[in-house]
């Protein structure tokens, strides 16, 4: 069942989450989630479409080509993610959501960008949660996002009405609401990272988190404030994972869509930073991306783009 | 030589000022000062006072917006007839070559009879600009119609916006400096530290020897107290060069090979070359050093590392040599711009590689071998320095002089440029 809501305000959701986090620290007022079940219902909102102004701010952030209305009108996948992100947040900040919003870590994102979504094209965003499962450091969950045609009926969804499909995987560290079933294979097969030949170097200023926040509306304190980031166990404000995704994809996504991509996040990028980046052509249809800390030879993220 | 049914474009001579390491002798000279002085020297050398030339083309890679008409303004500062038109060219480090090559074509086609091509660059007087944010706010204030709108715009200024911005030295699409790009290419081609240091040493020795035998007497005019390129180290040795730590590609660890000595220093300077038709040269009783035969621009897809940033000349040369039915064995002298010693070595390895020539250049065999004793015989950028846009003029004038008196002997030029571009050219002695 999909509950229709108005487009949520991210700032209000973060305020509420901060309040929840503060309350959780007070003895006797602990609002530990009473549930280990994910909400069964999904949320759906209408979005009027991305304005030219927002799209242009996005492309300036990544020094991309202009949305000139003739050769570039289709939104990049990460900008579509930005449309749906407040709805993800709304779902995760509900009382019946088993993991606290504050301190969630973005582990991975997988996207199928089925059809182009153009500037000012009204769409609907349908969000649901699934796969609550144990992680060696806590509990992880998949938030499924579908961007639908404006005329689609979310209650009886037809395949052709889906424009964009994404799964964001988040980790709640130190929270164990589900039993670990089997030891995670990833642990035993962890290998030393051998960096590929770099093809670019990203110099990220201390304000990169604020710059992405200004475009996306995601003012999560962990990205915009060193103090808040330190309180959450980071050395400094860290860059949004989707900034890395956006930069990795910029200029490489087909205007006609029909592509799939994914990104897996390893060590967070503490700002300011220099990220070494490699784009490698696996074949004509597939690119592999790697981002790492060149000084410590530490992996920040790995990604993939498949055309068609 | 040329198969085209056009007249010859003759290289008459050249002039440059000595090249100076950034922030040294020319620290207070701007691009226009240096270009005007260089043109003045050329005018004086060939008695062009009061003459109306066909066109003057030059450019600078690092250019102030106030110098929007740099070449024309420089021409107006010389004794040339003010009716001489001029235009600015910019193709990064290949600016000078593009200026000269395009002028040679105009002469060949009979559109003009005489021309000056060249370039200038200053690192010491590079344009410093405000941040994009501050410029945006100032422009918004400028567009405001009322005082309150203007104040509202200006109130957005934050301290961080006020930091001056020096021109970027990195490739905009990769964020890597040219040296970092070259380090990747050098590593891929397995170019050793020893080869690079030897090439750097040869550059200094050849340049010093050329100065000592007076080769540059009619190619260089002193400027601001300098009479020789102040980057030149005639007394350098392989031991000295071998002691330097790597400056680029440090993340390659033990495999890092590029140092400050086998990479060109940032430099200030200017150069100019006088071109004309045969008739024009004869009518003015001017020397005819060489013919400008052909030139070719090239570009490579470097952004995701499909090809090395500075490898475009490898591709341009293949097309140009094929068009002229030549191989590298046909050249008496080769001038390969030493952006880095490894740039020269990587291009040579590519041309000599059967695999590269077949797979990347689409040829049947390699482009021939390159006789190192014919390479950069009067020194190149590692010793002289490389004021970006001025390098083409330096090379064309020196090579033309070297080929003078050797009719029919050919010279090859390769200049790589930022943005994955490059130019190659052929000139012929007469």
């Amino acid at each position: 069942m999909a509950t229709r809501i108005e487009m949520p305000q991210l700032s209000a959701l973060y305020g509420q989450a901060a309040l929840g986090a503060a309350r959780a620290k007070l003895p006797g007022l602990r609002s530990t989630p009473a549930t280990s079940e994910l909400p069964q219902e999904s949320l759906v909102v209408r979005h009027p479409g991305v304005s030219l102004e927002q799209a242009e701010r996005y492309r300036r952030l990544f020094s991309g080509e202009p949305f000139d209305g003739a050769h570039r009108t289709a939104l990049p996948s990460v900008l579509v993610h930005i449309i749906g992100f407040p709805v993800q947040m709304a779902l995760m900040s509900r009382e019946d959501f088993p993991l606290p919003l504050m301190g969630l870590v973005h582990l991975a994102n997988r996207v199928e960008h089925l059809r182009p979504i153009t500037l000012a094209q009204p769409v609907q965003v349908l969000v649901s949660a699934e796969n609550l499962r144990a992680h060696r450091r806590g509990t992880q969950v998949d938030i499924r996002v579908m961007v639908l045609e404006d005329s689609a009926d979310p209650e009886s969804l037809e395949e052709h009405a889906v424009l964009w499909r994404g799964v964001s995987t988040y980790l709640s560290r130190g929270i164990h609401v589900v039993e670990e079933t089997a030891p995670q294979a990833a642990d035993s097969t962890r290998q030393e990272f051998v960096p590929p030949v770099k093809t670019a170097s990203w110099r990220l200023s201390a304000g990169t988190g604020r710059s992405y926040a200004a475009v996306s509306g995601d003012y999560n304190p962990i990205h915009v404030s060193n103090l808040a980031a330190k309180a959450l166990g980071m050395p400094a404000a860290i860059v949004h994972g989707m900034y890395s995704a956006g930069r990795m994809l910029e200029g490489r996504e087909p205007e006609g869509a029909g592509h799939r991509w994914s990104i897996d996040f390893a060590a967070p990028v503490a700002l300011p930073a220099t990220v070494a980046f490699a784009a490698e052509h696996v074949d004509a249809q597939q690119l592999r991306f790697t981002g790492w800390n060149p000084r410590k030879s530490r992996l920040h993220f790995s990604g993939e783009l498949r055309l068609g | 030589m040329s198969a085209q049914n056009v007249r010859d474009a003759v290289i008459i001579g050249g002039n440059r000022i000595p090249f100076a390491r950034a922030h040294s002798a020319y620290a207070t000279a701007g691009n226009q000062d240096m270009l005007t002085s260089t043109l003045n020297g050329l005018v004086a050398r060939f008695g062009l006072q009061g003459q109306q030339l066909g066109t003057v083309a030059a450019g600078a890679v690092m250019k102030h917006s106030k110098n929007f008409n740099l070449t024309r303004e420089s021409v107006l500062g010389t004794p040339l007839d003010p009716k001489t038109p001029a235009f600015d060219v910019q193709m990064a480090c290949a600016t000078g070559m593009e200026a000269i090559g395009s002028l040679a074509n105009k002469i060949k086609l009979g559109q003009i009879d005489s021309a000056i091509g060249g370039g200038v660059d200053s690192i010491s007087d590079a344009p410093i600009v405000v941040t994009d944010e501050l410029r945006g706010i100032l422009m918004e204030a400028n567009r405001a119609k009322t005082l309150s709108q203007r104040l509202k715009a200006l109130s957005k200024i934050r301290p961080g916006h006020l930091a001056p911005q020096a021109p970027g030295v990195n490739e905009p699409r990769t964020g890597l400096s040219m040296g970092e790009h070259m380090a990747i290419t050098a590593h891929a081609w397995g170019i050793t530290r020893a080869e690079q240091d030897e090439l750097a040493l040869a550059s200094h020795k050849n340049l010093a020897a050329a100065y000592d035998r007076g080769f540059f007497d009619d190619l260089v005019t002193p400027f601001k107290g300098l009479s020789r390129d102040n980057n030149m180290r005639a007394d350098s040795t392989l031991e000295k060069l071998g002691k330097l730590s790597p400056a680029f590609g440090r993340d390659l660890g033990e495999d890092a090979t590029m140092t400050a000595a086998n990479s060109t220093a940032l430099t200030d300077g200017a150069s100019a070359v006088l071109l004309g038709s045969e008739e024009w040269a004869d009518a003015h009783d001017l020397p005819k050093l060489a013919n400008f035969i052909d030139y070719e621009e090239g570009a490579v897809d470097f952004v995701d590392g499909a090809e090395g940033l500075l490898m475009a000349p490898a591709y341009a040369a293949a097309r140009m040599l094929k068009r002229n039915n030549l191989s590298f064995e046909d050249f008496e002298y080769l001038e390969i711009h030493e952006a880095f010693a490894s740039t020269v070595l990587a291009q040579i390895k590519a041309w000599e590689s059967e695999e590269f020539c077949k797979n990347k250049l689409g040829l049947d065999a390699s482009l021939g071998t390159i006789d190192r004793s014919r390479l950069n015989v009067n020194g190149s950028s590692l010793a002289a320095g490389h004021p970006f846009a001025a390098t083409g003029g330096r090379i064309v004038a020196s090579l033309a002089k070297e080929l003078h008196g050797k009719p029919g002997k050919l010279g090859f030029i390769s200049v790589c440029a930022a943005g994955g571009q490059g130019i190659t050219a052929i000139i012929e002695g007469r």
Side-chain angles (χ1 to χ4, degrees):
Chain A
M1 193 194 91
T3 305
R4 191 168 286 281
I5 59 168
E6 291 295 307
M7 185 50 92
Q9 293 294 317
L10 279 175
S11 51
L13 294 173
Y14 279 125
Q16 188 187 321
L19 204 62
R23 202 180 285 151
K25 288 203 191 310
L26 292 175
L29 267 173
R30 244 185 130 74
S31 61
T32 334
T35 171
S36 60
E37 299 284 320
L38 288 171
Q40 290 306 301
E41 104 187 272
S42 42
L43 298 180
V44 63
V45 303
R46 286 193 188 278
H47 190 283
V50 172
S51 67
L52 175 63
E53 195 214 337
Q54 186 181 14
E56 277 288 295
R57 275 192 281 133
Y58 176 94
R59 74 98 183 175
R60 269 188 226 107
L61 181 65
F62 296 111
S63 302
E65 310 311 322
F67 287 86
D68 60 357
H71 306 96
R72 192 182 191 192
T73 53
L75 303 180
S77 278
V78 170
L79 193 43
V80 180
H81 168 89
I82 286 170
I83 301 180
F85 185 68
V87 193
Q88 292 196 34
M89 293 287 289
L91 185 68
M92 291 190 285
S93 54
R94 279 164 53 128
E95 289 275 319
D96 59 351
F97 193 78
L99 304 173
L101 181 65
M102 209 35 96
L104 276 184
V105 176
H106 199 170
L107 286 185
N109 222 88
R110 274 156 235 294
V111 168
E112 285 177 90
H113 197 142
L114 303 164
R115 283 159 57 199
I117 301 165
T118 53
L119 285 175
Q121 176 182 345
V123 291
Q124 300 181 78
V125 181
L126 180 65
V127 171
S128 56
E130 61 187 36
N131 291 336
L132 189 70
R133 60 202 186 276
H135 181 276
R136 63 191 170 82
R137 288 164 62 203
T139 306
Q140 59 183 325
V141 64
D142 289 340
I143 306 296
R144 184 171 286 280
V145 181
M146 281 200 266
V147 177
L148 312 172
E149 283 181 343
D150 190 43
S151 58
D153 176 4
E155 296 294 349
S156 70
L157 203 52
E158 291 179 68
E159 190 58 25
H160 70 83
V162 182
L163 302 168
W164 185 103
R165 203 167 14 220
V167 176
S168 301
T169 305
Y170 297 98
L171 164 69
S172 187
R173 288 175 302 171
I175 307 252
H176 299 272
V177 295
V178 283
E179 290 296 315
E180 197 162 337
T181 45
Q184 307 248 320
D187 268 333
S188 52
T189 58
R190 278 194 138 194
Q191 292 167 344
E192 201 194 335
F193 168 62
V194 181
V197 175
K198 74 178 169 211
T199 58
S201 177
W202 300 351
R203 276 178 195 81
L204 308 182
S205 74
T208 307
R210 286 185 289 277
S211 303
Y212 181 83
V215 172
S216 65
D218 181 5
Y219 282 93
N220 186 336
I222 201 166
H223 302 303
V224 297
S225 149
N226 282 336
L227 215 58
K230 280 177 183 157
L232 292 163
M234 294 295 169
I238 59 169
V239 81
H240 295 75
M242 294 310 266
Y243 173 90
S244 297
R247 189 138 177 200
M248 144 188 126
L249 294 169
E250 183 61 47
R252 299 183 174 96
E253 285 184 284
E255 175 80 8
H259 56 294
R260 283 174 293 162
W261 60 270
S262 63
I263 187 164
D264 288 277
F265 301 107
V269 179
L271 296 168
T274 298
V275 175
F277 174 77
E280 300 165 275
H281 282 271
V282 180
D283 54 50
Q285 292 295 301
Q286 195 186 340
L287 277 154
R288 184 168 52 219
F289 308 109
T290 314
W292 68 98
N293 178 325
R295 258 183 328 112
K296 297 181 180 163
S297 195
R298 205 161 160 221
L299 181 68
H300 286 314
F301 65 86
S302 51
E304 208 176 71
L305 169 64
R306 284 169 194 270
L307 309 167
Chain B
M1 177 64 234
S2 174
Q4 293 122 323
N5 189 22
V6 291
R7 63 179 182 170
D8 287 341
V10 181
I11 301 163
I12 293 165
N15 183 52
R16 68 177 177 94
I17 54 174
F19 294 167
R21 288 176 68 93
H23 307 292
S24 69
Y26 306 161
T28 57
N31 278 337
Q32 195 177 320
D33 302 339
M34 291 192 285
L35 184 58
T36 306
S37 179
T38 300
L39 292 173
N40 277 331
L42 195 71
V43 167
R45 180 163 297 144
F46 296 104
L48 306 175
Q49 293 86 342
Q51 292 208 35
Q52 180 181 341
L53 300 186
T55 302
V56 178
V61 176
M62 298 286 176
K63 196 163 92 166
H64 287 265
S65 53
K66 70 182 180 189
N67 288 146
F68 62 92
N69 224 351
L70 172 67
T71 310
R72 172 64 180 155
E73 291 301 325
S74 295
V75 165
L76 287 175
T78 69
L80 286 170
D81 187 320
K83 294 193 288 296
T84 299
F87 64 95
D88 278 24
V89 183
Q90 213 275 34
M91 194 181 171
C93 303
T95 298
M97 288 307 303
E98 179 55 36
I100 294 164
S102 69
L103 292 170
N105 283 352
K106 288 175 191 285
I107 291 170
K108 287 182 185 185
L109 284 175
Q111 292 171 327
I112 54 174
D113 295 321
S114 61
I116 296 173
V120 57
D121 254 292
S122 169
I123 298 292
S124 308
D125 185 34
I128 302 270
V129 299
V130 299
T131 57
D132 288 348
E133 291 84 4
L134 181 57
R135 191 174 59 251
I137 293 166
L138 294 175
M139 288 297 176
E140 191 184 327
N142 190 39
R143 284 189 290 268
K145 292 200 167 59
T146 66
L147 181 64
S148 76
Q149 280 175 349
R150 187 163 296 137
L151 290 174
K152 197 176 159 211
L154 293 174
S155 71
K156 293 181 195 163
I157 297 174
R158 299 284 172 271
H161 296 157
L162 301 176
Q165 306 283 296
V169 291
N170 297 330
E171 278 295 322
R173 283 170 196 272
T174 64
L176 295 176
S177 69
M178 201 171 264
E180 288 300 317
H181 269 287
M182 192 61 231
I184 293 165
T185 312
H187 190 243
W189 281 95
I191 292 159
T192 65
R193 168 78 182 265
E195 289 177 278
Q196 295 176 51
D197 285 354
E198 280 162 25
L199 193 98
L201 185 69
S203 187
H204 286 277
K205 298 283 181 210
N206 289 346
L207 185 72
Y211 269 111
D212 289 346
R213 69 171 184 273
F215 180 77
F216 292 114
D217 287 355
D218 57 358
L219 290 173
V220 174
T221 307
F223 184 62
K224 300 247 174 196
L226 267 195
S227 54
R228 289 184 176 196
D229 312 310
N230 69 3
N231 184 58
M232 186 174 76
R233 299 283 175 273
D235 57 349
S236 197
T237 64
L238 278 181
E239 288 73 52
K240 281 186 194 168
L241 298 183
K243 281 185 190 140
L244 296 171
S245 311
F248 299 108
R250 288 202 202 97
D251 53 353
L252 295 166
E254 292 290 298
D255 290 345
T257 55
M258 292 170 56
T259 66
N262 60 40
S263 310
T264 34
L266 293 171
T267 334
D268 303 335
S271 70
V273 172
L274 179 62
L275 303 161
S277 66
E278 188 144 17
E279 301 74 32
W280 188 85
D282 288 340
H284 292 79
D285 197 21
L286 292 169
K288 292 171 284 187
L289 304 183
N291 286 345
F292 193 97
I293 301 296
D294 199 0
Y295 83 119
E296 176 84 9
E297 297 138 350
V300 293
D301 178 12
F302 69 96
V303 175
D304 282 347
E307 184 51 271
L309 177 74
L310 301 182
M311 291 301 278
Y315 296 80
R319 292 192 294 267
M320 184 181 75
L321 295 185
K322 193 173 174 197
R323 178 163 70 224
N324 290 276
N325 197 22
L326 294 169
S327 87
F328 277 106
E329 275 116 24
D330 297 314
F331 290 95
E332 195 71 8
Y333 299 108
L334 297 108
E335 283 283 342
I336 306 176
H337 158 53
E338 298 165 341
F340 304 89
S342 54
T343 314
V344 180
L345 294 163
Q347 287 178 26
I348 290 175
K349 287 200 176 185
W351 289 321
E352 291 182 343
S353 155
E354 184 141 341
E355 193 196 339
F356 182 89
C357 289
K358 279 183 175 169
N359 297 341
K360 297 289 182 86
L361 303 181
L363 303 172
D364 300 331
S366 89
L367 280 165
T369 52
I370 281 138
D371 181 350
R372 303 296 177 87
S373 67
R374 301 175 177 203
L375 174 68
N376 299 347
V377 293
N378 294 306
S380 182
S381 304
L382 285 170
H386 168 43
F388 311 126
T391 288
R394 173 185 67 75
I395 291 176
V396 170
S398 300
L399 184 58
K401 180 173 174 182
E402 190 63 48
L403 285 167
H404 184 45
K406 301 181 181 93
K409 297 292 185 193
L410 297 178
F412 171 87
I413 297 171
S414 159
V415 177
C416 58
Q421 303 211 93
I423 286 186
T424 57
I426 302 170
I427 70 175
E428 179 183 1
R430 48 183 297 163

